[in-house]
Amino acid sequence: MTTTQVTLVQIDNYGPWTVTPEPRREMDLQSLQSRLFADIAEFLGHRDGYAFFTRFDNMIAVTNGVDADAHATLQESIGNRYPVTVSFGTAVGDRPIDALEAANARLQTEGSAQDEGRTEVLAGEYLTETSPGDVQIAHFDVVNVTGKYTDRLNEFDTFIDIERAYASLMRHLRREHGALSFFVGGDNVIAVCPDMSEAAFADAVDHVVADVEVELQVGVGRGASAHEAGFAAKHALEDCRHAGTAVELFGAPAAGD
């Protein structure tokens, strides 16, 4: 059974701030968002967590092993170095989507994301112990993306095809399994999953082929933290590339095996 700790990161009152006292330059906002994500990703990465940018003003992180004190330290550091503050909601669940729903609720009960009186909320529950199989990460990529897309199409049309595959996969894993999937650049998607069997991952790959005609391969790993599970998934994905297989498992066995 997986046990995933998820943290929702939300910039406080961000929309009104971007137009006060007048609209701010778009590239200044993009730069701020990028730097903020990079700092959060680096901080959590040093603690074996994963962060995903989603909409940038909202970010989702897998934080198994990161306690309340560490979250408070990150929040304080951001408040000291940026013109904006952030709120954190953290929760734990067997399925990643359930943990995210609970984390969302913790912030929503404190007020609107655009409520100027709701700032630097730190609300959550945190795992006191971790186990080797707590987190299951699946690392997907497109089969032969260079030969099929990068070296044949212009970059924008390649991007469209990759995004179509990501959207198809993201919806399928969310609806069927309660997994959270994130585009992480290039042709790569990382999915944070509950207990899923090898057959379930094969079904996901088949779904994307049937839906948008893009062929994927996936390496799956388990671990006590996002880093451990993700690193095992990277090794499993390399096994796919070398063996020409669609699904490979690495590390602690997935459910049903």
Side-chain angles (χ1 to χ4, degrees), residues 7-10 12 36 39-40 43-44 67-82 84-90 107 118-123 126:
T7 297
L8 173 65
V9 181
Q10 194 170 84
D12 296 319
L36 179 59
D39 282 347
I40 290 171
F43 182 95
L44 294 177
D67 63 13
D69 288 343
H71 281 78
T73 297
L74 174 58
Q75 188 177 59
E76 181 181 12
S77 176
I78 291 168
N80 288 338
R81 295 183 296 114
Y82 283 89
V84 294
T85 60
V86 296
S87 288
F88 293 150
T90 303
L107 293 189
R118 195 217 73 178
T119 60
E120 293 188 290
V121 173
L122 183 62
Y126 308 89

PDB file of all heavy atoms in Angstrom, residues 7-10 12 36 39-40 43-44 67-82 84-90 107 118-123 126:
ATOM      1  N   THR A   7       2.118  18.157  -0.686  1.00  0.00           N
ATOM      2  CA  THR A   7       2.027  19.546  -0.242  1.00  0.00           C
ATOM      3  C   THR A   7       1.568  20.427  -1.394  1.00  0.00           C
ATOM      4  O   THR A   7       2.155  20.383  -2.484  1.00  0.00           O
ATOM      5  CB  THR A   7       3.387  20.054   0.272  1.00  0.00           C
ATOM      6  OG1 THR A   7       3.770  19.288   1.424  1.00  0.00           O
ATOM      7  CG2 THR A   7       3.315  21.523   0.658  1.00  0.00           C
ATOM      8  N   LEU A   8       0.507  21.185  -1.159  1.00  0.00           N
ATOM      9  CA  LEU A   8       0.067  22.202  -2.114  1.00  0.00           C
ATOM     10  C   LEU A   8       0.727  23.524  -1.733  1.00  0.00           C
ATOM     11  O   LEU A   8       0.605  23.978  -0.590  1.00  0.00           O
ATOM     12  CB  LEU A   8      -1.450  22.355  -2.086  1.00  0.00           C
ATOM     13  CG  LEU A   8      -2.006  23.510  -2.924  1.00  0.00           C
ATOM     14  CD1 LEU A   8      -1.741  23.291  -4.409  1.00  0.00           C
ATOM     15  CD2 LEU A   8      -3.494  23.703  -2.660  1.00  0.00           C
ATOM     16  N   VAL A   9       1.424  24.121  -2.686  1.00  0.00           N
ATOM     17  CA  VAL A   9       2.074  25.421  -2.500  1.00  0.00           C
ATOM     18  C   VAL A   9       1.242  26.455  -3.256  1.00  0.00           C
ATOM     19  O   VAL A   9       1.008  26.308  -4.462  1.00  0.00           O
ATOM     20  CB  VAL A   9       3.516  25.418  -3.042  1.00  0.00           C
ATOM     21  CG1 VAL A   9       4.186  26.776  -2.810  1.00  0.00           C
ATOM     22  CG2 VAL A   9       4.326  24.283  -2.421  1.00  0.00           C
ATOM     23  N   GLN A  10       0.812  27.493  -2.572  1.00  0.00           N
ATOM     24  CA  GLN A  10      -0.031  28.501  -3.206  1.00  0.00           C
ATOM     25  C   GLN A  10       0.503  29.898  -2.891  1.00  0.00           C
ATOM     26  O   GLN A  10       0.672  30.253  -1.726  1.00  0.00           O
ATOM     27  CB  GLN A  10      -1.470  28.358  -2.695  1.00  0.00           C
ATOM     28  CG  GLN A  10      -2.509  29.103  -3.482  1.00  0.00           C
ATOM     29  CD  GLN A  10      -3.904  28.689  -3.036  1.00  0.00           C
ATOM     30  OE1 GLN A  10      -4.424  29.224  -2.054  1.00  0.00           O
ATOM     31  NE2 GLN A  10      -4.508  27.733  -3.731  1.00  0.00           N
ATOM     32  N   ASP A  12       0.238  33.584  -2.124  1.00  0.00           N
ATOM     33  CA  ASP A  12      -0.843  34.333  -1.490  1.00  0.00           C
ATOM     34  C   ASP A  12      -1.228  35.565  -2.300  1.00  0.00           C
ATOM     35  O   ASP A  12      -0.355  36.369  -2.683  1.00  0.00           O
ATOM     36  CB  ASP A  12      -0.410  34.786  -0.086  1.00  0.00           C
ATOM     37  CG  ASP A  12      -0.152  33.621   0.852  1.00  0.00           C
ATOM     38  OD1 ASP A  12      -0.936  32.652   0.814  1.00  0.00           O
ATOM     39  OD2 ASP A  12       0.837  33.672   1.606  1.00  0.00           O
ATOM     40  N   LEU A  36      11.036  31.248  -8.186  1.00  0.00           N
ATOM     41  CA  LEU A  36      10.371  30.709  -7.004  1.00  0.00           C
ATOM     42  C   LEU A  36      10.250  29.189  -7.106  1.00  0.00           C
ATOM     43  O   LEU A  36      10.549  28.463  -6.149  1.00  0.00           O
ATOM     44  CB  LEU A  36       8.990  31.341  -6.840  1.00  0.00           C
ATOM     45  CG  LEU A  36       8.154  30.860  -5.647  1.00  0.00           C
ATOM     46  CD1 LEU A  36       8.888  31.114  -4.338  1.00  0.00           C
ATOM     47  CD2 LEU A  36       6.784  31.547  -5.642  1.00  0.00           C
ATOM     48  N   ASP A  39      13.659  27.573  -6.525  1.00  0.00           N
ATOM     49  CA  ASP A  39      14.061  27.562  -5.117  1.00  0.00           C
ATOM     50  C   ASP A  39      13.295  26.494  -4.329  1.00  0.00           C
ATOM     51  O   ASP A  39      13.876  25.795  -3.483  1.00  0.00           O
ATOM     52  CB  ASP A  39      13.834  28.936  -4.488  1.00  0.00           C
ATOM     53  CG  ASP A  39      14.918  29.935  -4.864  1.00  0.00           C
ATOM     54  OD1 ASP A  39      15.954  29.509  -5.405  1.00  0.00           O
ATOM     55  OD2 ASP A  39      14.717  31.140  -4.619  1.00  0.00           O
ATOM     56  N   ILE A  40      12.001  26.380  -4.593  1.00  0.00           N
ATOM     57  CA  ILE A  40      11.210  25.362  -3.900  1.00  0.00           C
ATOM     58  C   ILE A  40      11.670  23.968  -4.303  1.00  0.00           C
ATOM     59  O   ILE A  40      11.845  23.081  -3.457  1.00  0.00           O
ATOM     60  CB  ILE A  40       9.713  25.563  -4.200  1.00  0.00           C
ATOM     61  CG1 ILE A  40       9.212  26.841  -3.512  1.00  0.00           C
ATOM     62  CG2 ILE A  40       8.890  24.350  -3.748  1.00  0.00           C
ATOM     63  CD1 ILE A  40       7.811  27.255  -3.909  1.00  0.00           C
ATOM     64  N   PHE A  43      15.067  23.251  -2.621  1.00  0.00           N
ATOM     65  CA  PHE A  43      14.925  23.010  -1.180  1.00  0.00           C
ATOM     66  C   PHE A  43      14.364  21.615  -0.920  1.00  0.00           C
ATOM     67  O   PHE A  43      14.914  20.847  -0.115  1.00  0.00           O
ATOM     68  CB  PHE A  43      14.008  24.075  -0.580  1.00  0.00           C
ATOM     69  CG  PHE A  43      13.823  23.968   0.910  1.00  0.00           C
ATOM     70  CD1 PHE A  43      14.606  24.713   1.772  1.00  0.00           C
ATOM     71  CD2 PHE A  43      12.849  23.127   1.456  1.00  0.00           C
ATOM     72  CE1 PHE A  43      14.436  24.628   3.154  1.00  0.00           C
ATOM     73  CE2 PHE A  43      12.674  23.027   2.826  1.00  0.00           C
ATOM     74  CZ  PHE A  43      13.472  23.774   3.681  1.00  0.00           C
ATOM     75  N   LEU A  44      13.280  21.262  -1.591  1.00  0.00           N
ATOM     76  CA  LEU A  44      12.671  19.952  -1.376  1.00  0.00           C
ATOM     77  C   LEU A  44      13.518  18.835  -1.968  1.00  0.00           C
ATOM     78  O   LEU A  44      13.570  17.733  -1.412  1.00  0.00           O
ATOM     79  CB  LEU A  44      11.264  19.929  -1.975  1.00  0.00           C
ATOM     80  CG  LEU A  44      10.249  20.860  -1.290  1.00  0.00           C
ATOM     81  CD1 LEU A  44       8.921  20.819  -2.010  1.00  0.00           C
ATOM     82  CD2 LEU A  44      10.075  20.491   0.183  1.00  0.00           C
ATOM     83  N   ASP A  67       9.253  17.243   7.187  1.00  0.00           N
ATOM     84  CA  ASP A  67       8.361  17.491   8.319  1.00  0.00           C
ATOM     85  C   ASP A  67       7.867  18.933   8.368  1.00  0.00           C
ATOM     86  O   ASP A  67       8.190  19.765   7.510  1.00  0.00           O
ATOM     87  CB  ASP A  67       9.040  17.091   9.627  1.00  0.00           C
ATOM     88  CG  ASP A  67      10.291  17.914   9.943  1.00  0.00           C
ATOM     89  OD1 ASP A  67      10.517  18.962   9.291  1.00  0.00           O
ATOM     90  OD2 ASP A  67      11.051  17.495  10.855  1.00  0.00           O
ATOM     91  N   ALA A  68       7.081  19.248   9.407  1.00  0.00           N
ATOM     92  CA  ALA A  68       6.492  20.577   9.549  1.00  0.00           C
ATOM     93  C   ALA A  68       7.556  21.652   9.706  1.00  0.00           C
ATOM     94  O   ALA A  68       7.425  22.759   9.166  1.00  0.00           O
ATOM     95  CB  ALA A  68       5.541  20.594  10.745  1.00  0.00           C
ATOM     96  N   ASP A  69       8.619  21.366  10.458  1.00  0.00           N
ATOM     97  CA  ASP A  69       9.679  22.363  10.663  1.00  0.00           C
ATOM     98  C   ASP A  69      10.343  22.736   9.348  1.00  0.00           C
ATOM     99  O   ASP A  69      10.659  23.914   9.109  1.00  0.00           O
ATOM    100  CB  ASP A  69      10.718  21.822  11.643  1.00  0.00           C
ATOM    101  CG  ASP A  69      10.213  21.771  13.082  1.00  0.00           C
ATOM    102  OD1 ASP A  69       9.197  22.445  13.372  1.00  0.00           O
ATOM    103  OD2 ASP A  69      10.821  21.064  13.897  1.00  0.00           O
ATOM    104  N   ALA A  70      10.574  21.754   8.480  1.00  0.00           N
ATOM    105  CA  ALA A  70      11.195  22.036   7.182  1.00  0.00           C
ATOM    106  C   ALA A  70      10.268  22.886   6.317  1.00  0.00           C
ATOM    107  O   ALA A  70      10.717  23.820   5.639  1.00  0.00           O
ATOM    108  CB  ALA A  70      11.553  20.733   6.471  1.00  0.00           C
ATOM    109  N   HIS A  71       8.985  22.564   6.336  1.00  0.00           N
ATOM    110  CA  HIS A  71       8.029  23.393   5.592  1.00  0.00           C
ATOM    111  C   HIS A  71       8.040  24.832   6.110  1.00  0.00           C
ATOM    112  O   HIS A  71       8.009  25.787   5.324  1.00  0.00           O
ATOM    113  CB  HIS A  71       6.620  22.807   5.716  1.00  0.00           C
ATOM    114  CG  HIS A  71       6.342  21.646   4.823  1.00  0.00           C
ATOM    115  ND1 HIS A  71       6.785  20.375   5.085  1.00  0.00           N
ATOM    116  CD2 HIS A  71       5.647  21.563   3.650  1.00  0.00           C
ATOM    117  CE1 HIS A  71       6.365  19.550   4.132  1.00  0.00           C
ATOM    118  NE2 HIS A  71       5.681  20.251   3.251  1.00  0.00           N
ATOM    119  N   ALA A  72       8.089  24.998   7.421  1.00  0.00           N
ATOM    120  CA  ALA A  72       8.106  26.338   8.011  1.00  0.00           C
ATOM    121  C   ALA A  72       9.367  27.094   7.617  1.00  0.00           C
ATOM    122  O   ALA A  72       9.333  28.304   7.340  1.00  0.00           O
ATOM    123  CB  ALA A  72       7.990  26.244   9.527  1.00  0.00           C
ATOM    124  N   THR A  73      10.493  26.395   7.579  1.00  0.00           N
ATOM    125  CA  THR A  73      11.759  27.031   7.179  1.00  0.00           C
ATOM    126  C   THR A  73      11.692  27.512   5.744  1.00  0.00           C
ATOM    127  O   THR A  73      12.129  28.632   5.419  1.00  0.00           O
ATOM    128  CB  THR A  73      12.925  26.032   7.345  1.00  0.00           C
ATOM    129  OG1 THR A  73      13.045  25.686   8.724  1.00  0.00           O
ATOM    130  CG2 THR A  73      14.228  26.639   6.856  1.00  0.00           C
ATOM    131  N   LEU A  74      11.143  26.687   4.857  1.00  0.00           N
ATOM    132  CA  LEU A  74      11.007  27.085   3.457  1.00  0.00           C
ATOM    133  C   LEU A  74      10.081  28.278   3.327  1.00  0.00           C
ATOM    134  O   LEU A  74      10.377  29.243   2.595  1.00  0.00           O
ATOM    135  CB  LEU A  74      10.480  25.901   2.639  1.00  0.00           C
ATOM    136  CG  LEU A  74      10.151  26.177   1.173  1.00  0.00           C
ATOM    137  CD1 LEU A  74      11.373  26.708   0.421  1.00  0.00           C
ATOM    138  CD2 LEU A  74       9.616  24.904   0.503  1.00  0.00           C
ATOM    139  N   GLN A  75       8.980  28.261   4.028  1.00  0.00           N
ATOM    140  CA  GLN A  75       8.035  29.367   3.973  1.00  0.00           C
ATOM    141  C   GLN A  75       8.672  30.673   4.442  1.00  0.00           C
ATOM    142  O   GLN A  75       8.509  31.731   3.804  1.00  0.00           O
ATOM    143  CB  GLN A  75       6.819  29.029   4.833  1.00  0.00           C
ATOM    144  CG  GLN A  75       5.666  30.001   4.712  1.00  0.00           C
ATOM    145  CD  GLN A  75       4.485  29.544   5.549  1.00  0.00           C
ATOM    146  OE1 GLN A  75       4.612  29.394   6.770  1.00  0.00           O
ATOM    147  NE2 GLN A  75       3.354  29.302   4.915  1.00  0.00           N
ATOM    148  N   GLU A  76       9.407  30.606   5.517  1.00  0.00           N
ATOM    149  CA  GLU A  76      10.075  31.797   6.049  1.00  0.00           C
ATOM    150  C   GLU A  76      11.124  32.323   5.070  1.00  0.00           C
ATOM    151  O   GLU A  76      11.248  33.539   4.850  1.00  0.00           O
ATOM    152  CB  GLU A  76      10.724  31.481   7.388  1.00  0.00           C
ATOM    153  CG  GLU A  76      11.419  32.681   8.025  1.00  0.00           C
ATOM    154  CD  GLU A  76      12.069  32.335   9.355  1.00  0.00           C
ATOM    155  OE1 GLU A  76      12.176  31.140   9.683  1.00  0.00           O
ATOM    156  OE2 GLU A  76      12.476  33.282  10.066  1.00  0.00           O
ATOM    157  N   SER A  77      11.879  31.416   4.461  1.00  0.00           N
ATOM    158  CA  SER A  77      12.908  31.817   3.502  1.00  0.00           C
ATOM    159  C   SER A  77      12.301  32.539   2.303  1.00  0.00           C
ATOM    160  O   SER A  77      12.820  33.567   1.851  1.00  0.00           O
ATOM    161  CB  SER A  77      13.681  30.579   3.034  1.00  0.00           C
ATOM    162  OG  SER A  77      14.623  30.918   2.048  1.00  0.00           O
ATOM    163  N   ILE A  78      11.182  32.019   1.809  1.00  0.00           N
ATOM    164  CA  ILE A  78      10.521  32.677   0.673  1.00  0.00           C
ATOM    165  C   ILE A  78      10.024  34.056   1.079  1.00  0.00           C
ATOM    166  O   ILE A  78      10.202  35.046   0.347  1.00  0.00           O
ATOM    167  CB  ILE A  78       9.361  31.798   0.171  1.00  0.00           C
ATOM    168  CG1 ILE A  78       9.907  30.531  -0.488  1.00  0.00           C
ATOM    169  CG2 ILE A  78       8.483  32.572  -0.822  1.00  0.00           C
ATOM    170  CD1 ILE A  78       8.858  29.477  -0.749  1.00  0.00           C
ATOM    171  N   GLY A  79       9.420  34.161   2.248  1.00  0.00           N
ATOM    172  CA  GLY A  79       8.926  35.451   2.711  1.00  0.00           C
ATOM    173  C   GLY A  79      10.013  36.491   2.880  1.00  0.00           C
ATOM    174  O   GLY A  79       9.778  37.692   2.693  1.00  0.00           O
ATOM    175  N   ASN A  80      11.228  36.048   3.208  1.00  0.00           N
ATOM    176  CA  ASN A  80      12.350  36.965   3.394  1.00  0.00           C
ATOM    177  C   ASN A  80      12.976  37.408   2.076  1.00  0.00           C
ATOM    178  O   ASN A  80      13.629  38.464   2.027  1.00  0.00           O
ATOM    179  CB  ASN A  80      13.434  36.306   4.245  1.00  0.00           C
ATOM    180  CG  ASN A  80      13.032  36.181   5.701  1.00  0.00           C
ATOM    181  OD1 ASN A  80      12.169  36.914   6.174  1.00  0.00           O
ATOM    182  ND2 ASN A  80      13.657  35.247   6.411  1.00  0.00           N
ATOM    183  N   ARG A  81      12.801  36.621   1.005  1.00  0.00           N
ATOM    184  CA  ARG A  81      13.544  36.882  -0.225  1.00  0.00           C
ATOM    185  C   ARG A  81      12.692  37.271  -1.425  1.00  0.00           C
ATOM    186  O   ARG A  81      13.235  37.693  -2.445  1.00  0.00           O
ATOM    187  CB  ARG A  81      14.382  35.646  -0.591  1.00  0.00           C
ATOM    188  CG  ARG A  81      15.478  35.343   0.420  1.00  0.00           C
ATOM    189  CD  ARG A  81      16.347  34.171   0.011  1.00  0.00           C
ATOM    190  NE  ARG A  81      15.596  32.926  -0.047  1.00  0.00           N
ATOM    191  CZ  ARG A  81      15.358  32.237  -1.156  1.00  0.00           C
ATOM    192  NH1 ARG A  81      15.789  32.680  -2.317  1.00  0.00           N
ATOM    193  NH2 ARG A  81      14.683  31.100  -1.113  1.00  0.00           N
ATOM    194  N   TYR A  82      11.375  37.160  -1.305  1.00  0.00           N
ATOM    195  CA  TYR A  82      10.493  37.455  -2.434  1.00  0.00           C
ATOM    196  C   TYR A  82       9.479  38.521  -2.055  1.00  0.00           C
ATOM    197  O   TYR A  82       9.160  38.694  -0.874  1.00  0.00           O
ATOM    198  CB  TYR A  82       9.753  36.171  -2.864  1.00  0.00           C
ATOM    199  CG  TYR A  82      10.609  35.215  -3.662  1.00  0.00           C
ATOM    200  CD1 TYR A  82      11.380  34.247  -3.022  1.00  0.00           C
ATOM    201  CD2 TYR A  82      10.665  35.291  -5.054  1.00  0.00           C
ATOM    202  CE1 TYR A  82      12.167  33.369  -3.754  1.00  0.00           C
ATOM    203  CE2 TYR A  82      11.449  34.414  -5.788  1.00  0.00           C
ATOM    204  CZ  TYR A  82      12.204  33.460  -5.134  1.00  0.00           C
ATOM    205  OH  TYR A  82      12.997  32.594  -5.849  1.00  0.00           O
ATOM    206  N   VAL A  84       6.446  38.270  -2.587  1.00  0.00           N
ATOM    207  CA  VAL A  84       5.196  37.552  -2.327  1.00  0.00           C
ATOM    208  C   VAL A  84       5.438  36.532  -1.223  1.00  0.00           C
ATOM    209  O   VAL A  84       6.580  36.172  -0.927  1.00  0.00           O
ATOM    210  CB  VAL A  84       4.678  36.831  -3.591  1.00  0.00           C
ATOM    211  CG1 VAL A  84       4.283  37.836  -4.662  1.00  0.00           C
ATOM    212  CG2 VAL A  84       5.721  35.855  -4.125  1.00  0.00           C
ATOM    213  N   THR A  85       4.348  36.072  -0.617  1.00  0.00           N
ATOM    214  CA  THR A  85       4.429  35.002   0.381  1.00  0.00           C
ATOM    215  C   THR A  85       3.708  33.766  -0.166  1.00  0.00           C
ATOM    216  O   THR A  85       2.979  33.839  -1.156  1.00  0.00           O
ATOM    217  CB  THR A  85       3.792  35.431   1.708  1.00  0.00           C
ATOM    218  OG1 THR A  85       2.407  35.763   1.481  1.00  0.00           O
ATOM    219  CG2 THR A  85       4.520  36.637   2.279  1.00  0.00           C
ATOM    220  N   VAL A  86       3.904  32.638   0.507  1.00  0.00           N
ATOM    221  CA  VAL A  86       3.249  31.404   0.087  1.00  0.00           C
ATOM    222  C   VAL A  86       2.577  30.738   1.280  1.00  0.00           C
ATOM    223  O   VAL A  86       3.000  30.900   2.429  1.00  0.00           O
ATOM    224  CB  VAL A  86       4.234  30.408  -0.560  1.00  0.00           C
ATOM    225  CG1 VAL A  86       4.816  30.981  -1.853  1.00  0.00           C
ATOM    226  CG2 VAL A  86       5.342  30.004   0.409  1.00  0.00           C
ATOM    227  N   SER A  87       1.515  29.993   0.977  1.00  0.00           N
ATOM    228  CA  SER A  87       0.855  29.144   1.965  1.00  0.00           C
ATOM    229  C   SER A  87       1.055  27.688   1.577  1.00  0.00           C
ATOM    230  O   SER A  87       1.122  27.351   0.389  1.00  0.00           O
ATOM    231  CB  SER A  87      -0.643  29.473   2.046  1.00  0.00           C
ATOM    232  OG  SER A  87      -0.860  30.717   2.672  1.00  0.00           O
ATOM    233  N   PHE A  88       1.134  26.828   2.599  1.00  0.00           N
ATOM    234  CA  PHE A  88       1.319  25.397   2.387  1.00  0.00           C
ATOM    235  C   PHE A  88       0.176  24.633   3.042  1.00  0.00           C
ATOM    236  O   PHE A  88      -0.146  24.843   4.211  1.00  0.00           O
ATOM    237  CB  PHE A  88       2.616  24.897   3.034  1.00  0.00           C
ATOM    238  CG  PHE A  88       3.885  25.409   2.419  1.00  0.00           C
ATOM    239  CD1 PHE A  88       5.026  25.560   3.205  1.00  0.00           C
ATOM    240  CD2 PHE A  88       3.961  25.730   1.082  1.00  0.00           C
ATOM    241  CE1 PHE A  88       6.215  26.018   2.661  1.00  0.00           C
ATOM    242  CE2 PHE A  88       5.141  26.198   0.523  1.00  0.00           C
ATOM    243  CZ  PHE A  88       6.274  26.341   1.316  1.00  0.00           C
ATOM    244  N   GLY A  89      -0.407  23.709   2.272  1.00  0.00           N
ATOM    245  CA  GLY A  89      -1.320  22.723   2.823  1.00  0.00           C
ATOM    246  C   GLY A  89      -0.739  21.350   2.560  1.00  0.00           C
ATOM    247  O   GLY A  89      -0.347  21.057   1.422  1.00  0.00           O
ATOM    248  N   THR A  90      -0.658  20.511   3.576  1.00  0.00           N
ATOM    249  CA  THR A  90      -0.036  19.193   3.445  1.00  0.00           C
ATOM    250  C   THR A  90      -0.976  18.127   3.991  1.00  0.00           C
ATOM    251  O   THR A  90      -1.610  18.326   5.031  1.00  0.00           O
ATOM    252  CB  THR A  90       1.306  19.145   4.203  1.00  0.00           C
ATOM    253  OG1 THR A  90       2.162  20.177   3.719  1.00  0.00           O
ATOM    254  CG2 THR A  90       1.993  17.792   4.010  1.00  0.00           C
ATOM    255  N   LEU A 107      -6.157  24.600   2.890  1.00  0.00           N
ATOM    256  CA  LEU A 107      -5.980  26.005   2.530  1.00  0.00           C
ATOM    257  C   LEU A 107      -7.319  26.688   2.283  1.00  0.00           C
ATOM    258  O   LEU A 107      -7.522  27.842   2.684  1.00  0.00           O
ATOM    259  CB  LEU A 107      -5.093  26.128   1.290  1.00  0.00           C
ATOM    260  CG  LEU A 107      -3.630  25.705   1.443  1.00  0.00           C
ATOM    261  CD1 LEU A 107      -2.826  26.092   0.211  1.00  0.00           C
ATOM    262  CD2 LEU A 107      -2.998  26.342   2.687  1.00  0.00           C
ATOM    263  N   ARG A 118      -5.391  36.327   4.129  1.00  0.00           N
ATOM    264  CA  ARG A 118      -4.932  34.944   4.291  1.00  0.00           C
ATOM    265  C   ARG A 118      -3.514  34.823   3.755  1.00  0.00           C
ATOM    266  O   ARG A 118      -3.290  34.726   2.550  1.00  0.00           O
ATOM    267  CB  ARG A 118      -5.858  33.992   3.536  1.00  0.00           C
ATOM    268  CG  ARG A 118      -5.684  32.526   3.927  1.00  0.00           C
ATOM    269  CD  ARG A 118      -5.828  31.587   2.751  1.00  0.00           C
ATOM    270  NE  ARG A 118      -4.665  31.644   1.865  1.00  0.00           N
ATOM    271  CZ  ARG A 118      -4.529  30.887   0.785  1.00  0.00           C
ATOM    272  NH1 ARG A 118      -5.491  30.071   0.427  1.00  0.00           N
ATOM    273  NH2 ARG A 118      -3.442  30.980   0.038  1.00  0.00           N
ATOM    274  N   THR A 119      -2.550  34.873   4.640  1.00  0.00           N
ATOM    275  CA  THR A 119      -1.151  34.819   4.215  1.00  0.00           C
ATOM    276  C   THR A 119      -0.371  33.819   5.058  1.00  0.00           C
ATOM    277  O   THR A 119      -0.637  33.639   6.250  1.00  0.00           O
ATOM    278  CB  THR A 119      -0.470  36.199   4.339  1.00  0.00           C
ATOM    279  OG1 THR A 119      -0.512  36.624   5.701  1.00  0.00           O
ATOM    280  CG2 THR A 119      -1.155  37.227   3.451  1.00  0.00           C
ATOM    281  N   GLU A 120       0.574  33.156   4.416  1.00  0.00           N
ATOM    282  CA  GLU A 120       1.516  32.238   5.053  1.00  0.00           C
ATOM    283  C   GLU A 120       0.819  31.217   5.962  1.00  0.00           C
ATOM    284  O   GLU A 120       1.237  30.975   7.089  1.00  0.00           O
ATOM    285  CB  GLU A 120       2.583  33.014   5.812  1.00  0.00           C
ATOM    286  CG  GLU A 120       3.492  33.814   4.880  1.00  0.00           C
ATOM    287  CD  GLU A 120       4.667  34.440   5.585  1.00  0.00           C
ATOM    288  OE1 GLU A 120       4.434  35.384   6.374  1.00  0.00           O
ATOM    289  OE2 GLU A 120       5.804  34.001   5.349  1.00  0.00           O
ATOM    290  N   VAL A 121      -0.243  30.623   5.430  1.00  0.00           N
ATOM    291  CA  VAL A 121      -0.878  29.517   6.147  1.00  0.00           C
ATOM    292  C   VAL A 121       0.071  28.312   6.116  1.00  0.00           C
ATOM    293  O   VAL A 121       0.671  27.998   5.091  1.00  0.00           O
ATOM    294  CB  VAL A 121      -2.226  29.141   5.497  1.00  0.00           C
ATOM    295  CG1 VAL A 121      -2.809  27.889   6.137  1.00  0.00           C
ATOM    296  CG2 VAL A 121      -3.200  30.311   5.589  1.00  0.00           C
ATOM    297  N   LEU A 122       0.226  27.669   7.232  1.00  0.00           N
ATOM    298  CA  LEU A 122       1.005  26.432   7.322  1.00  0.00           C
ATOM    299  C   LEU A 122       0.119  25.415   8.024  1.00  0.00           C
ATOM    300  O   LEU A 122       0.032  25.377   9.252  1.00  0.00           O
ATOM    301  CB  LEU A 122       2.303  26.655   8.096  1.00  0.00           C
ATOM    302  CG  LEU A 122       3.254  25.466   8.211  1.00  0.00           C
ATOM    303  CD1 LEU A 122       3.742  25.027   6.836  1.00  0.00           C
ATOM    304  CD2 LEU A 122       4.435  25.802   9.104  1.00  0.00           C
ATOM    305  N   ALA A 123      -0.579  24.608   7.225  1.00  0.00           N
ATOM    306  CA  ALA A 123      -1.571  23.686   7.772  1.00  0.00           C
ATOM    307  C   ALA A 123      -1.322  22.294   7.214  1.00  0.00           C
ATOM    308  O   ALA A 123      -1.189  22.136   6.006  1.00  0.00           O
ATOM    309  CB  ALA A 123      -2.983  24.146   7.410  1.00  0.00           C
ATOM    310  N   TYR A 126       1.712  15.308   8.736  1.00  0.00           N
ATOM    311  CA  TYR A 126       2.989  14.872   8.191  1.00  0.00           C
ATOM    312  C   TYR A 126       3.282  13.450   8.661  1.00  0.00           C
ATOM    313  O   TYR A 126       2.985  13.097   9.814  1.00  0.00           O
ATOM    314  CB  TYR A 126       4.116  15.812   8.646  1.00  0.00           C
ATOM    315  CG  TYR A 126       3.812  17.266   8.364  1.00  0.00           C
ATOM    316  CD1 TYR A 126       3.127  18.044   9.304  1.00  0.00           C
ATOM    317  CD2 TYR A 126       4.177  17.851   7.162  1.00  0.00           C
ATOM    318  CE1 TYR A 126       2.830  19.367   9.048  1.00  0.00           C
ATOM    319  CE2 TYR A 126       3.882  19.186   6.896  1.00  0.00           C
ATOM    320  CZ  TYR A 126       3.204  19.933   7.838  1.00  0.00           C
ATOM    321  OH  TYR A 126       2.898  21.245   7.581  1.00  0.00           O
TER     322      TYR A 126
END
